Amino acid sequence: MVNDRVKSPAASRLAVLLMVLLFSPLGAQERPTLEAADYGQWESLGTFRISPTGEWLAYEVRRVDEENQLRIRGEDDDSARIVAYGVGAVFSDDGRWLAYRIGVAPDRQDDEDAKAEVGLLDLSSGSETTFEATAFRFSDDGRFVALTGYGEGDVLIRDLDQGTMLALGNVGSFQWSPSGHLLAVVLETESGAGNGVQLLDASAGTLRPLVSSNAAYKSLTWRDDDDDLAVLRARDDDGFEEE
């Protein structure tokens, strides 16, 4: 989500930089004749994000030949860092991290072994880590990121300070609390016997059951700015046609 409340000078400079990227005129020198092979390199600007601190800009560049890129640029950088096939960039709320999905090259999309990944960039050091995952979600305090794995119901919790990983299975859905370090998860098992809702305290590494039954749990929701949690429980009843 774009932080529309950022009013720092750094954010203003990055906004100007984006305008320059969009509207800089071409030089007056004689332009070469375009060949058919050149058309694939035509670029257009996609989604962009400015970090909460206003020091970083991440923007998608889409090309006709589908060799799309995510470009990441700092306030003091002369050139952009390029992530091939990067999309969906999101900054952590503390501005320390940037996560994004990395797609598959167009010529490998029919390859069963080719998988999309999630990239995680440490903006202070510039180091990047990639994970075999389909989606991600930062905790509200920016210390943790939850990664949805390729295995059915697999969720990985990454401690961004410690670099450690915790794996959860049979997860149907999950939500971070407004306080940031509590993760509520809905468990869905094939038999239904292990269904329920559990609470992970990511900072302490403890997992506590809140409720369990063979019912289905849906619409997990935290109260805004509080640690109250609500969930719908659905069960079969002979007196009704549906749940």
Side-chain angles (χ1 to χ4, degrees):
M1 180 178 294
V2 177
N3 187 341
D4 56 7
R5 295 174 291 181
V6 172
K7 298 181 180 179
S8 68
S12 299
R13 287 192 290 272
L14 280 176
V16 171
L17 172 62
L18 183 60
M19 296 296 289
V20 170
L21 290 170
L22 282 170
F23 300 113
S24 293
L26 296 174
Q29 69 272 18
E30 183 178 350
R31 301 184 182 92
T33 301
L34 289 177
E35 304 293 340
D38 298 322
Y39 297 156
Q41 301 179 41
W42 288 8
E43 298 178 348
S44 62
L45 182 69
T47 303
F48 67 91
R49 296 284 186 268
I50 297 175
S51 69
T53 61
E55 298 174 333
W56 292 89
L57 172 69
Y59 57 99
E60 297 175 15
V61 173
R62 299 168 183 166
R63 300 177 57 170
V64 173
D65 60 7
E66 297 185 317
E67 296 292 328
N68 302 331
Q69 298 175 343
L70 174 69
R71 298 180 185 175
I72 305 161
R73 193 161 186 170
E75 177 188 6
D76 300 323
D77 292 344
D78 294 329
S79 59
R81 183 184 186 118
I82 295 175
V83 179
Y85 315 114
V87 294
V90 175
F91 290 97
S92 60
D93 279 356
D94 59 5
R96 293 175 52 203
W97 300 87
L98 177 68
Y100 39 83
R101 300 189 309 277
I102 303 173
V104 177
D107 60 354
R108 296 197 63 200
Q109 290 182 354
D110 294 332
D111 185 350
E112 294 182 357
D113 295 328
K115 293 183 178 181
E117 297 179 313
V118 167
L120 184 65
L121 179 64
D122 184 337
L123 295 173
S124 60
S125 68
S127 62
E128 182 191 35
T129 307
T130 58
F131 305 89
E132 286 194 0
T134 61
F136 63 89
R137 192 178 305 167
F138 283 112
S139 62
D140 285 358
D141 60 4
R143 181 181 166 184
F144 303 94
V145 62
L147 303 157
T148 303
Y150 275 93
E152 185 174 357
D154 289 346
V155 173
L156 306 174
I157 313 302
R158 175 84 166 188
D159 186 326
L160 298 176
D161 286 346
Q162 303 298 324
T164 55
M165 193 83 79
L166 174 67
L168 301 176
N170 297 317
V171 177
S173 62
F174 62 86
Q175 291 288 342
W176 286 108
S177 70
S179 62
H181 65 281
L182 299 177
L183 182 73
V185 298
V186 168
L187 299 183
E188 295 179 356
T189 60
E190 185 174 355
S191 66
N195 291 358
V197 180
Q198 295 189 357
L199 185 68
L200 171 69
D201 185 332
S203 61
T206 58
L207 188 64
R208 178 163 59 98
L210 298 182
V211 63
S212 61
S213 71
N214 60 0
Y217 294 87
K218 306 175 182 179
S219 303
L220 196 65
T221 306
W222 290 93
R223 186 193 297 273
D224 291 342
D225 301 321
D226 206 337
D227 285 341
D228 291 341
L229 181 67
V231 66
L232 297 179
R233 182 173 63 192
R235 60 183 175 82
D236 293 326
D237 190 308
D238 293 340
F240 297 86
E241 292 184 0
E242 299 179 358
E243 294 178 332

